Amino acid sequence: MVNELESLYQEACTALAEVKDSQALEAWEAHYIGRKGVVTLALRSVGNLPKEERAAFGKRANEIRDALEQTYTEHAELIRSHELARQMEEGAIDVTLPGVRTPSGSIHPATRTLREIGEIWREMGFQIFRTREVEDDETNFEMLNIPQHHPARDMWDTFHTLTPGVILRTHTSPGQIHAMRRYAPKPIRVILPGMCFRYEQISARKEIQFNQVEGLAIGTNIRLSDLKGTITAFAQRMFGADRRVRFRGSYFPFTEPSMEVDVECILCDGRGCSVCSGSGWLEIAGCGMVHPTVLRNGGYDPSLHSGFAFGMGPERITMLKYGITDIRYFWSNDTRFLAQF
Ligand code: FA5
């Protein structure tokens, strides 16, 4: 059987070398490697062989089929270019006609902003640390100082899975625990970009699926002034060197003290417009000094180590940068929106 297959292979190769046009090529394909082609049928006949011969035959038959398909593709390309050249010579193709423009895709605006944010933090010495999107309740909440019945859980409406205790992460902050446990007691300077999920009422500002970029720095003697200076440097690179930045007191269970970061509205230069609701300021991130309980949960001794963390939303930042009024455009797959970027 193998010998028959080998001579079939030789015959097919010789026949293909004789093929000079697409009609003959089509006939060759049907005869040898088509659905009812002789090589295809020979391949199928493996079942008729004695058991001990099947493996060797099957292996060689597959090699021959792959080799023939490869030679066929190359030959088809050759014939196509010869035929094209002939048609052009005969004047059948008018090369002066305008071509049909092939539409090209563009980078999604959220990805563009994610890359921009990542690049700024990279230049500032932060490495990317990726963690999982499907989390356990313990890491998403408990380890971040948000126990079962803590009212702050209302801030993060959760998608639960059918497995008790397994959820879709509501923010990138559980990544802090993973990073700390990986590196403790060494210093850390990482950003954690990724998708988050919240069981929210979708609106112009709220999606159920969105990106966040978390940041975490742990070391000795890291102070609030380091956090403020670092975030200000980021915001000025992202939004412009003259852009004013302000910090407002806030609350997150996993940072103490906690703050929200606002930049001067980039659309009205702080004069007040509809995007900034007349305030002149736009919120870009939450941040704070890592809570001692969280440091401990991550494997650091709060009497020796301190750190800061922040979390920002690239979609919201993109909205601010480009004056986009509705977050739902991001996942609507409307090419009229996407083509603008
Ligand atoms: C948090 O999620 C905190 N984990 C951030 C943090 C990290 C604080 C580290 C302190 C230290 P918040 O819920 O405010 O915080 O979300 C952070 C950012 O995610 C928001 O500013 C916003 O840009 C984005 N975001 C939150 N919810 C949504 C949503 N439903 N749709 C789109 N973006 C959202």
Side-chain angles (χ1 to χ4, degrees), residues 102 197 258 310:
T102 317
F197 309 86
S258 304
F310 55 83

Side-chain angles (χ1 to χ4, degrees), residues 156 171 173 198 200 207 210 212 214 252 311 313 316 327:
W156 293 282
H171 51 172
S173 298
R198 289 189 197 174
E200 307 243 36
E207 259 294 353
F210 53 94
Q212 278 191 349
E214 188 90 5
F252 296 101
R316 293 261 181 91
I327 199 169

Side-chain angles (χ1 to χ4, degrees), residues 127-131 175-176 178-180 182-183 190-193:
Q127 287 186 327
I128 289 185
F129 187 86
R130 291 196 187 276
T131 61
Q176 289 186 32
H178 294 297
M180 283 192 248
R182 166 81 70 86
Y183 294 117
V190 290
I191 56 163
L192 308 102

Side-chain angles (χ1 to χ4, degrees), residues 68-231:
L68 281 178
E69 276 177 1
Q70 165 89 15
T71 324
Y72 165 78
T73 311
E74 286 165 13
H75 202 75
E77 190 51 44
L78 201 70
I79 286 179
R80 212 180 67 84
S81 57
H82 283 164
E83 287 186 343
L84 212 64
R86 198 176 332 119
Q87 283 171 347
M88 279 176 76
E89 259 169 38
E90 289 166 0
I93 295 176
D94 183 354
V95 288
T96 61
L97 277 177
V100 180
R101 188 182 287 273
T102 317
S104 65
S106 55
I107 307 279
H108 191 282
T111 308
R112 186 182 289 258
T113 307
L114 260 173
R115 289 185 186 174
E116 214 174 316
I117 292 173
E119 185 56 23
I120 295 173
W121 287 113
R122 192 187 63 76
E123 283 173 9
M124 288 166 70
F126 285 72
Q127 287 186 327
I128 289 185
F129 187 86
R130 291 196 187 276
T131 61
R132 58 198 187 197
E133 291 176 356
V134 178
E135 262 300 347
D136 48 65
D137 185 281
E138 203 188 354
T139 322
N140 195 81
F141 292 121
E142 307 265 332
M143 290 290 134
L144 294 173
N145 207 20
I146 320 171
Q148 251 327 302
H149 301 292
H150 195 291
R153 285 208 180 199
D154 288 350
M155 289 161 74
W156 293 282
D157 290 323
T158 312
F159 281 112
H160 295 268
T161 68
L162 291 176
T163 313
V166 176
I167 59 166
L168 301 188
R169 68 174 171 196
T170 55
H171 51 172
T172 40
S173 298
Q176 289 186 32
I177 300 290
H178 294 297
M180 283 192 248
R181 289 187 171 174
R182 166 81 70 86
Y183 294 117
K186 294 190 192 128
I188 299 183
R189 216 186 303 167
V190 290
I191 56 163
L192 308 102
M195 199 56 90
C196 304
F197 309 86
R198 289 189 197 174
Y199 186 49
E200 307 243 36
Q201 179 70 49
I202 297 177
S203 69
R205 286 179 56 75
K206 285 185 175 173
E207 259 294 353
I208 55 171
Q209 176 180 341
F210 53 94
N211 286 288
Q212 278 191 349
V213 178
E214 188 90 5
L216 178 69
I218 308 273
T220 45
N221 282 326
I222 294 189
R223 290 170 300 189
L224 189 64
S225 51
D226 296 312
L227 166 60
K228 290 175 78 174
T230 310
I231 296 266

Side-chain angles (χ1 to χ4, degrees), residues 231-232 235-236 243-247 261-264 281:
I231 296 266
T232 304
Q236 290 181 337
R243 203 57 59 192
R244 286 189 301 156
V245 179
R246 77 175 183 188
F247 294 81
V261 187
D262 297 339
V263 290
E264 199 176 25
W281 295 94

Side-chain angles (χ1 to χ4, degrees), residues 6 32 58 63 98 107 128-129 169 174 197 240 254 269-270 279 288 292 329:
E6 293 294 352
Y32 288 101
E63 283 168 7
I107 307 279
I128 289 185
F129 187 86
R169 68 174 171 196
F197 309 86
F254 36 89
D269 279 334
S279 71
Y329 285 124

